[in-house]
């Protein structure tokens, strides 16, 4: 079974347990943040592979430019112009190896030693790891101290699946500092399309990051970075130094796929698909472990959960793997150490909804075993979750049609 995301908690053996979970037969995976295989357009991608491989001159097997395939960049620019990035052209787009490389390039451009980055209290673990590798000090997004730059997910946050408030967006722009806007889940806002990106309001300071990993498939590793003009040459030099260019074959396949299929019509289907799963998982958790707090996500692949006891998460994950279910321990997402109840992310994206009841029963058994004797953090109901005041309270989405 596929896995990803070694977390900042590796030293605690979480990574070893996660890998063990992946190799456990019959385990139901509620961790990892992987898209559903059922949504990979396999036959269409196979057609595109064949077509680009047999094309005259085989450009898909040849070297390309560091910024990427022009026709693919044009398609990305056209899509983003529709989202509000007016006037964007192919020349503004760098095709990257997924959103991860786009964040890495933007960070490399912006980071200097001893500098700081503003992040939400819970954030994307591989970005947090990246910032740590640059020696960046983390500051709360809401801190009055001004960080050198910020990293945010305004449309759909990971892990919470929330959306940044208008007030927060305005406050961030008013700081007039660079921002990395990670829109990895932007197309999967359930009530989408997502609002105009921050980059539409301040294209001189906002680096915009996107990806086909969540809406097409992550294996091709095709993402993009829009760099404000004054940093563009530097970003391109760094991209070339890192890997010369993104994979020609993967770019050609995505380009061919986009030329032949209506990607925009695919998105509402995906949003409905994942929203239904979010609702099914939420109901299953409510039934199996009513004392856990969470909010229905507005988009993305996961539900962020606060339990009602402070339990060693390694012990909990070990018990869960023994019960043949997995989850993402919360500390990997926490930007700074916090006291309080154990937290976790449960993903509804990969496992089948028919498995959710069984998965949450297993999780409840593991939780009871792990929490035996742990200090109780008080019983609370859904809706009282601690949440950044920069993230909007979810408005209960209408039932998926
Ligand atoms: C918020 C966020 N940003 C970026 C990425 C990286 O995506 P990609 O597969 O395009 O590198 C992920 C992957 O899980 C993510 O959750």
């Amino acid at each position: 079974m596929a896995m990803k995301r070694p977390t900042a908690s590796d030293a605690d053996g979480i990574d070893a347990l996660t890998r063990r979970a992946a190799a456990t037969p019959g385990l139901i995976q509620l961790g990892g943040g992987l898209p559903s295989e059922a949504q990979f357009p396999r036959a269409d991608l196979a057609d595109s592979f064949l077509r680009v491989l047999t094309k005259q001159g085989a450009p898909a097997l040849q070297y390309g430019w560091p910024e990427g395939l022009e026709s693919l960049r044009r398609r990305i620019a056209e899509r983003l112009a529709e989202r509000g990035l007016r006037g964007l052209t192919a020349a503004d787009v760098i095709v990257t190896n997924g959103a991860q490389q786009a964040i890495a390039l933007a960070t490399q451009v912006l980071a200097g030693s001893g500098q700081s980055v503003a992040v939400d209290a819970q954030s994307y673990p591989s970005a947090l790891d990246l910032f740590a590798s640059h020696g960046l000090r983390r500051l709360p997004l809401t801190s009055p101290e001004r960080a050198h730059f910020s990293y945010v997910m305004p449309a759909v946050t990971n892990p919470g699946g929330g959306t940044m408030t208008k007030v927060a967006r305005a406050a961030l722009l008013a700081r007039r500092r660079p921002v990395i806007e990670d829109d990895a889940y932007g197309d999967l806002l359930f009530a989408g399309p997502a609002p105009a990106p921050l980059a539409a309001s301040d294209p001189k300071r906002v680096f915009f990051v996107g990806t086909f990993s969540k809406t097409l498939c992550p294996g091709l590793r095709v993402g993009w970075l829009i760099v404000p003009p004054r940093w563009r040459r530097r970003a391109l030099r760094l991209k070339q130094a890192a890997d010369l260019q993104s994979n020609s074959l993967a770019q050609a396949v995505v380009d061919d796929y986009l030329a032949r299929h209506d990607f925009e019509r695919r998105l509402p289907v995906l949003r409905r698909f994942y929203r239904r799963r979010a609702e099914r998982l939420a109901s299953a958790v409510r039934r199996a472990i009513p004392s856990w707090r969470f909010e229905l996500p507005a988009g993305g692949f996961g539900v962020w959960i606060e339990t009602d006891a402070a339990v060693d998460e390694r012990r909990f994950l070990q018990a869960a793997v023994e019960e043949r279910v997995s989850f993402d321990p919360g500390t990997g997402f926490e930007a700074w150490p916090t006291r309080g109840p154990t937290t976790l992310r449960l993903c509804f994206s990969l496992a089948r909804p028919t498995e959710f009841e069984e998965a949450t029963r297993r999780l409840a058994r593991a939780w009871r075993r792990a929490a035996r004797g742990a200090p109780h953090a008080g019983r609370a109901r859904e809706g009282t979750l601690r949440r950044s005041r920069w993230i909007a309270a979810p408005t209960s989405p209408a039932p998926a049609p």
Side-chain angles (χ1 to χ4, degrees), residues 4-5 32-35 96-103 123-127 151-153 156-159 182-185 209-214 217-219 221-224 301 333 345:
K4 75 172 169 88
R5 200 177 66 74
L34 279 68
T96 56
N97 274 305
Q100 186 62 30
Q101 189 187 38
I103 305 167
S123 192
Y124 166 51
S126 296
Y151 166 77
V152 287
M153 293 165 260
V156 179
T157 61
N158 180 11
D182 184 347
D183 192 58
Y185 290 99
V209 170
T211 182
F212 288 110
S213 284
K214 317 295 178 185
C217 61
R221 312 298 305 129
V222 178
W224 58 87
F301 286 170
F333 300 89
R345 184 184 71 170

Side-chain angles (χ1 to χ4, degrees), residues 1-5 14 17-24 26-34 281 292 305 316-329 344-348 350-351 355-356 358-360 362-364 366:
M1 192 187 289
M3 279 318 305
K4 75 172 169 88
R5 200 177 66 74
I14 295 287
L17 272 170
T18 307
R19 284 170 189 272
R20 201 178 114 198
T24 302
L27 179 133
I28 305 174
Q29 196 175 330
L30 296 183
L34 279 68
L281 182 64
W292 283 4
I305 290 180
F316 178 27
L317 185 57
Q318 175 122 29
V321 175
E322 282 161 17
E323 296 285 353
R324 290 180 303 131
V325 62
S326 72
F327 63 88
D328 292 316
L344 63 147
R345 184 184 71 170
L346 293 183
C347 293
F348 45 81
L350 184 71
E355 298 174 309
F356 288 168
E358 175 59 23
T360 50
R362 293 181 189 181
L363 203 60

